[in-house]
């Protein structure tokens, strides 16, 4: 009987040991789960910058007069780079004729410029000199648009694109505009630019054109942005104009080679919406389908105006005593901002100019010519 308590005692010890092991296992599992959750939380949480900001770089940029706040907003990652070439860039541009103020402005607006090596800068400058006549001309462009020069770092691709676009016989003026206002053209692969030119050539052939190369050149000359728009957008806009205006192939070809080229880069949905709102507005003003079609073919830029802008311009002209028939004949009057239109109407009213009798051609003249005309009218009234 004495053995029974001993057995029970051993059994109790065994249960206690098993219980302790179970608790320890649960504890380890909980710890592991919590640790796992902490790791997951850290992984999903806000990421800290990989490197602190380069203090030496900040000091150099301050000495150069760079607007650190603006540069930070544009390209903050530059400030965490360990190695930059701000001194090399400053010396290079200074030797090309840039002032310290211009250099500071360039870096402020496009901080990534300080990452370019001297070899890269020299190669790119030479490529640009193949297009531009002087260093001063390039500096003036960099001052206005530093992105145009520094956006891409691939000099070989730039060289190939220049050669390809030159093969299209584009004028130097068009080249200048492409490089300054549509620099992404030169970041495209040459294959992509060739594809876009081929699309324009195909559109010409589809419409019965006989000179697709000249058509493509004309479109690019009139609208430098077509090379950075998707093929789908350009084709969609051509189809939309054809369907809405119900033009023959030859008439549509003439429109595209003329002023219609200016709206090919618009968003397809934006163009469709503006066509609809323009049609509705003109119907309300008593115009018929033929008059609407005539105005669009004569002045397709009207489709670039949003509904609010278009209504404001038309209402301003009509309230100033001009008829819708006069606007249909001289739609370029819509080129000007509402404020300018209103000011000109007021000035003409003060000198007693009869817009219905004399026409509205005076309204769509340049500012210089308008002022000259106003001086003559004022002098005539003083006699």
């Amino acid at each position: 009987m004495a053995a029974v308590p001993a057995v029970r005692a051993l059994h109790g010890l065994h249960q206690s040991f098993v219980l302790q092991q179970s608790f320890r296992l649960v504890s380890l599992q909980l710890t592991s789960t919590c640790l796992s959750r902490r790791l997951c939380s850290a992984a999903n949480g806000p990421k800290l910058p990989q490197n602190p900001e380069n203090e030496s770089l900040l000091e150099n940029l301050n000495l150069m007069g760079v607007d650190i706040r603006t540069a930070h907003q544009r390209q903050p990652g530059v400030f965490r780079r360990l190695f930059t070439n701000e001194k090399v860039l400053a010396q290079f541009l200074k030797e090309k004729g840039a002032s310290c103020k211009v250099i500071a402005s360039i870096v402020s607006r496009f901080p990534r410029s300080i990452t370019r090596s001297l070899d890269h800068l020299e190669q790119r400058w030479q490529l640009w000199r193949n297009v531009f006549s002087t260093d001063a001309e390039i500096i003036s462009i960099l001052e206005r648009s530093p992105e145009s020069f520094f956006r891409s770092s691939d000099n070989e691709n730039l060289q190939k694109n220049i050669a390809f676009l030159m093969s299209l016989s584009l004028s130097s003026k068009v080249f200048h505009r492409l490089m300054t206002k549509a620099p992404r053209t030169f970041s495209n692969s040459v294959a992509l630019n060739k594809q876009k030119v081929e699309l324009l050539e195909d559109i010409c052939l589809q419409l019965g054109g006989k000179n697709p190369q000249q058509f493509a050149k004309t479109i690019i000359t009139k609208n430098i942005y077509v090379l950075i728009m998707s093929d789908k957008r350009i084709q969609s806009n051509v189809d939309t104009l054809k369907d809405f205006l119900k033009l023959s192939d030859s008439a549509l070809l003439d429109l595209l080679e003329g002023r219609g080229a200016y709206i090919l880069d618009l968003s397809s949905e934006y163009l469709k919406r503006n066509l609809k709102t323009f049609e509705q507005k003109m119907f309300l003003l008593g115009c018929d389908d033929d008059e609407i079609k005539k105005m669009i073919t004569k002045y397709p830029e009207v489709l670039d105006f949003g509904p609010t802008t278009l209504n404001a311009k038309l209402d301003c002209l009509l309230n100033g005593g001009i008829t819708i028939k006069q606007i249909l004949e001289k739609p370029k009057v819509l080129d000007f901002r509402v404020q300018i239109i209103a000011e000109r109407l007021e000035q003409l009213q003060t000198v007693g100019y009869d817009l219905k009798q004399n026409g509205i051609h005076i309204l769509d003249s340049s500012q210089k010519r308008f002022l000259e005309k106003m001086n003559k009218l004022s002098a005539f009234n003083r006699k």
Side-chain angles (χ1 to χ4, degrees), residues 29-41:
Q29 288 174 336
L30 286 172
T31 302
S32 175
T33 301
C34 291
L35 179 59
S36 176
R37 286 177 178 170
R38 283 199 297 272
L39 288 172
C40 289
S41 177

Side-chain angles (χ1 to χ4, degrees), residues 16 30 98 173 217-218 235 251 293 356 376:
S16 175
L30 286 172
K173 183 178 179 180
K217 176 184 174 181
T218 299
Q235 185 66 62
K293 175 179 173 179
K356 288 185 179 178
K376 289 180 181 179

Side-chain angles (χ1 to χ4, degrees), residues 109-375:
R109 288 176 293 143
F110 203 85
R112 222 164 45 233
S113 59
I114 65 175
T115 66
R116 308 300 189 230
S117 69
L118 180 59
D119 284 345
H120 170 88
L121 292 171
E122 289 175 341
Q123 290 170 11
R124 175 144 296 216
W125 197 273
Q126 188 54 52
L127 289 171
W128 273 54
R129 276 304 303 270
N130 292 336
V131 179
F132 297 94
S133 303
T134 65
D135 288 345
E137 195 175 0
I138 299 177
I139 290 294
S140 69
I141 292 168
L142 264 64
E143 185 177 4
R144 296 195 307 272
S145 174
E147 179 190 11
S148 60
F149 187 87
F150 294 105
R151 187 180 192 276
S152 167
S153 62
D154 191 338
N155 283 338
E156 183 180 357
N157 189 61
L158 172 62
Q159 185 175 15
K160 290 178 179 178
N161 269 317
I162 289 175
F164 168 65
L165 293 170
M166 279 186 169
S167 73
L168 303 179
S169 300
L170 298 173
S171 69
S172 58
K173 183 178 179 180
V174 173
F175 253 97
H176 293 189
R177 290 170 58 223
L178 278 169
M179 296 185 86
T180 55
K181 296 185 177 181
R184 191 150 58 90
T185 303
F186 298 90
S187 299
N188 288 346
S189 68
V190 178
L192 182 58
N193 281 332
K194 285 182 178 179
Q195 176 184 314
K196 293 182 182 300
V197 171
E198 287 169 0
L199 169 68
L200 295 175
E201 293 174 349
D202 287 344
I203 289 171
C204 176
L205 293 172
Q206 289 166 17
L207 298 175
K210 304 301 182 184
N211 194 339
Q213 290 79 18
Q214 181 59 41
F215 176 82
K217 176 184 174 181
T218 299
I219 298 297
I220 296 169
T221 298
K222 291 179 179 291
N223 189 339
I224 58 171
Y225 301 106
V226 293
L227 291 177
I228 56 176
M229 296 300 146
S230 70
D231 292 3
K232 183 179 178 181
R233 173 182 293 195
I234 295 170
Q235 185 66 62
S236 174
N237 287 344
V238 171
D239 294 340
T240 297
L241 288 172
K242 184 175 183 179
D243 293 343
F244 185 88
L245 298 173
K246 297 179 174 58
L247 296 175
S248 66
D249 287 349
S250 60
L252 180 57
L253 192 65
D254 289 342
L255 175 62
L256 295 176
E257 288 185 304
R259 305 189 70 87
Y262 296 117
I263 61 171
L264 282 181
D265 63 305
L266 297 180
S267 158
S268 302
E269 291 306 313
Y270 181 78
L271 177 61
K272 291 175 183 177
R273 185 169 65 249
N274 286 357
L275 274 167
K276 185 175 181 180
T277 55
F278 175 71
E279 181 183 44
Q280 291 172 343
K281 178 69 174 179
M282 298 304 281
F283 277 148
L284 288 174
L285 294 175
C287 298
D288 58 29
D289 286 330
D290 288 340
E291 287 172 322
I292 293 171
K293 175 179 173 179
K294 179 182 175 182
M295 183 162 177
I296 292 175
T297 52
K298 192 172 185 177
Y299 185 69
E301 293 97 321
V302 72
L303 301 176
D304 196 10
F305 303 142
T308 303
T309 300
L310 175 65
N311 289 338
K313 289 184 177 187
L314 288 172
D315 291 345
C316 181
L317 289 165
L318 295 170
N319 292 336
I322 294 171
T323 67
I324 189 61
K325 299 295 183 184
Q326 287 177 302
I327 297 173
L328 288 170
E329 289 300 318
K330 290 281 184 182
K332 271 186 92 313
V333 71
L334 295 169
D335 268 351
F336 300 94
R337 289 183 289 113
V338 174
Q339 182 182 353
I340 293 176
I341 294 172
E343 288 173 356
R344 290 189 173 189
L345 288 171
E346 186 178 347
Q347 291 173 35
L348 289 169
Q349 188 177 12
T350 60
V351 296
Y353 190 86
D354 191 334
L355 288 164
K356 288 185 179 178
Q357 181 179 344
N358 299 319
I360 65 171
H361 62 278
I362 188 173
L363 281 175
D364 67 7
S365 59
S366 67
Q367 182 66 5
K368 181 181 178 181
R369 291 187 63 185
F370 180 80
L371 290 175
E372 288 175 352
K373 184 68 174 179
M374 287 301 302
N375 289 334

Side-chain angles (χ1 to χ4, degrees), residues 38-102:
R38 283 199 297 272
L39 288 172
C40 289
S41 177
N44 295 328
K47 294 181 179 179
L48 296 174
Q50 294 179 346
N51 297 313
E53 291 194 343
N54 187 329
E55 294 296 331
S56 175
L57 169 61
L58 289 170
E59 184 179 343
N60 288 339
L61 295 183
N62 274 315
L63 290 173
M64 290 167 61
V66 172
D67 185 334
I68 303 295
R69 183 178 179 182
T70 298
H72 225 296
Q73 290 174 340
R74 299 290 176 90
Q75 292 157 355
V78 171
F79 292 87
R80 294 193 293 273
R81 288 179 175 247
L82 296 177
F83 302 104
T84 50
N85 295 316
E86 62 277 5
K87 292 181 179 179
V88 169
L89 174 69
Q91 184 60 35
F92 177 83
L93 292 177
K94 196 174 292 183
E95 290 174 358
K96 298 299 182 183
S99 67
C100 293
K101 183 178 179 181
V102 168

